[in-house]
């Protein structure tokens, strides 16, 4: 998108003129308010004005949502938008357009950038950048330690004051238990969550895929699940000891899931997230000739993805995230062992989940939507995740029956290497509304009808 078109789009979304939009006849699913019914949604000046059977109202615009699902805007608490310093991989504009195309109205971007987002000044700068450039709502996650080196706490208090949504050294395990314990103690003052990347470094150094039969067959060094299990167990115990809050990033191991389950039963303040890839793909799909499947943590065994799904259904795992991690094409076009870990997920996440989990009967639609809306909003104390009257009108309209094929040429993200490319999916977001304004993307299949 060129700058002129981008400026026009931003102006459309952020304009403060009096405006009303009526979404008619959709299946409104709002888990935060226990709503699941055919209803209309009225938006006035960017706010939810009414939900129900709305008659004798002439809005400026109408959307016919018959046969569609109308849900709170999707929230993703784990993305990598690569600003500052790594814009060749992604930036706030390309990332937020990818998010809008995938149905996301709010995301949180990780701090492992160049420089690392580890000061209040950088949080302030990135929040301003997000406001100026972002098409959707972008939250900033601050680094837990200076430079993400795990040796000394970063300016977490000052970053909290500047609006950091959470803290994480994502991409790194904080191996210094004393520093991590101090962080848990200190952050209770600000009621902030630590998002933990859980892999005991010494057990997985040099590993490029899950350690198991498949890695042995391929002759690739593995990353064992026990590395994740040990890390999760330590952080859960420290959270229990301090009373602090930990959130387990991209959980992928059956044992780790059970550690979190048992900790929750003891009242530990622990939550967890899982990605679509760790719910639907196994290490059997790893092909040394295709680096798109190289992620961290790696694709695991069938036993692990079954455990992750069970954990999602019983409440052990609280939310679904994408871990959207795009890289420049030339970086991924390398041998498997040398290619960086990660792939873009914002534009495929919902379609994969609907196809592989909802349409196969493995999860009901209300639970799926809750894990992507109300639950992340609750855990991280965010705006959104609800269609309650007077809330900002951040809404995702979903067509559960739309069949489509993933094509990297249609991506807004700058990353093109995805293991879902070529996959035929059923269901996707067809309309993304931010602050009451419909965002136009190549994937928007909902039309505004002018009533004037």
């Amino acid at each position: 998108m060129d700058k002129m078109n981008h400026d026009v789009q931003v102006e459309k979304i952020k304009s403060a003129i009096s405006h009303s939009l009526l979404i008619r006849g959709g299946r409104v699913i709002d888990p935060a308010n226990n709503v699941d019914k055919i209803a209309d949604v009225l938006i006035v000046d960017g706010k939810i004005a009414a939900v129900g059977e709305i008659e004798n109202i002439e809005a400026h615009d109408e959307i016919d949502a018959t046969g569609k699902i109308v849900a709170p805007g999707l929230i993703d608490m784990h993305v990598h938008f690569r600003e500052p310093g790594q814009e060749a991989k992604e930036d706030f504009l390309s990332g937020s357009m990818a998010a809008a195309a995938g149905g996301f109205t709010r995301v949180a971007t990780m701090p492992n950038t160049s420089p690392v987002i580890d000061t209040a000044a950088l949080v302030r700068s990135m929040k301003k950048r997000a406001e100026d450039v972002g098409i959707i709502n972008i939250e900033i996650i601050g680094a837990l330690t200076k430079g993400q080196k795990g040796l000394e706490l970063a300016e977490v208090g000052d970053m909290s004051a500047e609006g950091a949504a959470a803290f994480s050294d994502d991409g790194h395990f904080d191996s210094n238990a004393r520093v991590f314990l101090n962080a848990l103690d200190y952050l209770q003052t600000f009621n902030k969550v630590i998002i933990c990347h859980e892999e005991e470094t010494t057990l997985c150094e040099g590993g490029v895929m899950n350690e198991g039969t498949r890695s042995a067959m391929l002759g690739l060094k593995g990353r064992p699940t026990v590395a994740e299990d040990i890390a999760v167990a330590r952080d859960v115990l420290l959270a229990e000891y301090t009373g602090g809050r930990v959130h387990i990033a991209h959980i992928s191991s059956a044992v780790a899931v059970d550690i979190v389950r048992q900790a929750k039963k003891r009242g530990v303040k622990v939550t967890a997230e899982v990605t679509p890839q760790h719910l639907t793909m196994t290490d059997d799909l790893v092909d040394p000739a295709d680096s798109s499947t190289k992620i961290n943590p790696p694709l695991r065994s069938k036993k692990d993805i079954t455990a992750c799904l069970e954990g999602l259904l019983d409440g052990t795992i609280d939310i679904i995230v994408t871990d959207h991690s795009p890289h420049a094409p030339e970086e991924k076009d390398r041998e498997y062992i040398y290619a960086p870990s990660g792939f873009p997920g914002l534009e495929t996440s919902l379609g994969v989940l609907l196809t592989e989990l909802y349409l196969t009967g493995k999860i009901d639609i209300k639970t799926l939507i809750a894990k992507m809306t109300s639950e992340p909003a609750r855990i991280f104390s965010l705006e959104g995740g609800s269609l309650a009257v007077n809330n900002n009108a951040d809404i995702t309209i979903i067509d559960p029956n739309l069949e489509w094929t993933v094509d990297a040429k249609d991506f807004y993200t700058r990353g093109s290497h995805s293991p879902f490319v070529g996959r035929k999916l059923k269901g996707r977001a067809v309309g993304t509304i931010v602050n009451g304004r419909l965002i136009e993307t190549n994937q928007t299949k909902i039309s505004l009808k002018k009533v004037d």
Side-chain angles (χ1 to χ4, degrees):
M1 176 182 289
D2 61 37
K3 184 180 187 301
M4 181 177 295
N5 286 337
H6 167 253
D7 290 344
V8 170
Q9 180 70 65
V10 170
E11 193 59 30
K12 283 182 180 178
I13 295 169
K14 297 182 177 178
S15 62
I17 62 171
S18 179
H19 181 268
S20 56
L21 170 64
L22 184 56
I23 305 172
R24 285 203 178 276
R27 179 184 174 187
V28 177
I29 300 179
D30 180 11
N33 297 294
N34 197 29
V35 172
D36 184 355
K37 63 181 181 180
I38 303 299
D40 307 322
V41 178
L42 177 64
I43 300 165
V44 177
D45 290 341
K47 302 283 188 180
I48 305 289
V51 178
E53 187 174 337
I54 300 171
E55 297 179 348
N56 303 318
I57 292 288
E58 288 192 5
H60 293 92
D61 301 320
E62 283 192 9
I63 290 175
D64 181 2
T66 304
K68 314 296 191 298
I69 293 168
V70 179
L74 303 185
I75 299 172
D76 187 350
M77 290 305 298
H78 194 139
V79 305
H80 298 267
F81 278 1
R82 308 301 191 188
E83 287 200 44
Q86 300 170 357
E87 288 84 356
K89 299 171 183 277
E90 192 79 289
D91 61 23
F92 280 6
L93 175 55
S94 62
S96 61
M97 286 301 296
F104 293 89
T105 61
R106 187 176 300 272
V107 301
T109 185
M110 286 293 177
N112 54 335
T113 48
S114 181
V116 170
I117 302 174
D118 60 358
T119 67
L122 277 168
V123 169
R124 184 166 57 250
S125 173
M126 290 299 99
K127 284 185 72 68
K128 180 64 166 60
R129 171 72 172 162
E131 291 170 2
D132 290 345
V133 177
I135 298 297
I136 62 162
N137 303 295
I138 301 175
E139 304 287 345
I140 307 299
I141 295 173
L144 186 66
T145 64
K146 291 183 178 180
Q148 292 192 312
K149 295 180 180 178
L151 301 176
E152 183 180 357
L153 279 186
E155 300 175 4
V156 294
D158 290 342
M159 285 190 281
S160 292
E162 289 294 340
F167 295 94
S168 181
D169 280 348
D170 186 55
H172 309 273
F173 173 62
D174 290 304
S175 59
N176 189 313
R178 171 55 62 183
V179 170
F180 192 78
L181 184 147
N182 289 341
L184 284 167
D185 263 335
Y186 185 50
L187 282 171
Q188 291 183 69
T189 304
F190 308 97
N191 194 30
K192 293 293 183 179
V193 184
I194 300 176
I195 302 174
C196 308
H197 181 110
E198 304 289 32
E199 284 184 298
E200 212 297 323
T201 309
T202 59
L203 292 175
C204 56
E205 285 179 329
V208 297
M209 66 172 294
N210 184 49
E211 184 176 273
T213 302
R214 181 68 175 165
S215 64
M217 289 175 57
L218 296 175
L220 295 175
K221 187 172 182 180
R223 303 173 82 93
T225 54
V226 70
E228 180 174 324
D229 304 337
I230 289 171
V232 170
R234 189 209 69 171
D235 288 351
V236 162
L237 289 172
L238 289 176
E240 187 170 21
Y241 179 71
T242 61
R245 298 176 65 196
V246 294
H247 178 80
I248 309 304
H250 39 50
I251 200 165
S252 67
S253 155
V255 172
V257 170
D258 197 54
I259 290 170
V260 173
R261 179 181 291 113
Q262 299 309 318
K264 284 190 168 189
K265 290 178 180 178
R266 299 197 306 274
V268 181
K269 296 175 182 177
V270 56
T271 52
E273 66 187 35
V274 68
T275 70
Q277 48 269 28
H278 291 116
L279 288 168
T280 64
M281 302 174 69
T282 71
D283 56 359
D284 287 335
L285 298 174
V286 171
D287 178 356
D290 178 10
S291 66
S292 69
T293 60
K294 186 180 180 184
I295 58 175
N296 188 15
L299 297 178
R300 300 294 193 187
S301 69
K302 177 65 175 176
K303 176 188 73 173
D304 295 308
I305 70 167
T306 298
C308 285
L309 181 57
E310 290 173 352
L312 191 69
L313 294 174
D314 70 17
T316 299
I317 298 174
D318 302 87
I319 66 175
I320 299 172
V321 302
T322 65
D323 193 10
H324 174 83
S325 304
H327 295 281
E330 62 270 18
E331 293 179 299
K332 290 293 275 188
D333 283 332
R334 305 174 68 189
E335 291 182 59
Y336 203 93
I337 60 174
Y338 300 118
S341 295
F343 63 81
L346 284 166
E347 292 165 86
T348 57
S349 173
L350 182 60
V352 169
L353 293 166
L354 290 170
T355 303
E356 299 293 335
L357 300 185
Y358 167 59
L359 293 174
T360 58
K362 294 177 181 177
I363 192 170
D364 67 275
I365 191 65
K366 189 175 179 181
T367 299
L368 181 61
I369 289 174
K371 300 292 185 179
M372 303 177 78
T373 59
S374 56
E375 286 301 287
R378 176 186 64 81
I379 292 168
F380 293 94
S381 301
L382 301 173
E383 291 184 12
S386 165
L387 297 180
V389 171
N390 294 324
N391 275 20
N392 287 341
D394 294 343
I395 296 172
T396 302
I397 301 175
I398 302 166
D399 186 341
N401 299 308
L402 180 63
E403 297 181 350
W404 60 291
T405 301
V406 179
D407 188 339
K409 294 195 297 294
D410 296 330
F411 285 172
Y412 283 96
T413 177
R414 293 183 175 172
S416 58
H417 287 69
S418 165
F420 299 117
V421 168
R423 184 83 64 88
K424 292 183 178 180
L425 301 176
K426 188 174 182 180
R428 75 183 307 177
V430 293
T432 303
I433 296 170
V434 177
N435 292 330
R437 300 290 173 174
L438 180 68
I439 299 177
E440 294 290 340
T441 71
N442 294 337
Q443 286 70 42
T444 302
K445 306 297 182 185
I446 288 289
S447 298
L448 287 177
K449 176 186 175 183
K450 296 291 182 181
V451 180
D452 294 340

